Amino acid sequence: MRVIPGAVIGWDMGAALALGAALGISAPAIAELLPALEAVMVRRVNEQIAASRD
């Protein structure tokens, strides 16, 4: 993950691509799916971080 104090700003795409390849997922499928998955994950993790501060 790429983070700043108090928030997640994204995934390490190199690591995500390597993980997908290790799981046997084709590179075009990974490239197609990762941006949408990253956006949801970043939003949800940041919501949890904000909720834990309150």
Side-chain angles (χ1 to χ4, degrees), residues 23-50:
L23 291 171
I25 302 170
S26 70
I30 296 168
E32 183 71 27
L33 297 172
L34 275 180
L37 294 171
E38 178 189 30
V40 171
M41 184 280 306
V42 167
R43 186 171 47 252
R44 296 289 294 157
V45 169
N46 286 330
E47 287 171 0
Q48 290 177 350
I49 290 169

Side-chain angles (χ1 to χ4, degrees), residues 2-34:
R2 293 176 291 147
V3 299
I4 59 174
V8 173
I9 58 172
W11 279 352
D12 176 340
M13 287 300 175
L17 289 167
L19 178 60
L23 291 171
I25 302 170
S26 70
I30 296 168
E32 183 71 27
L33 297 172
L34 275 180

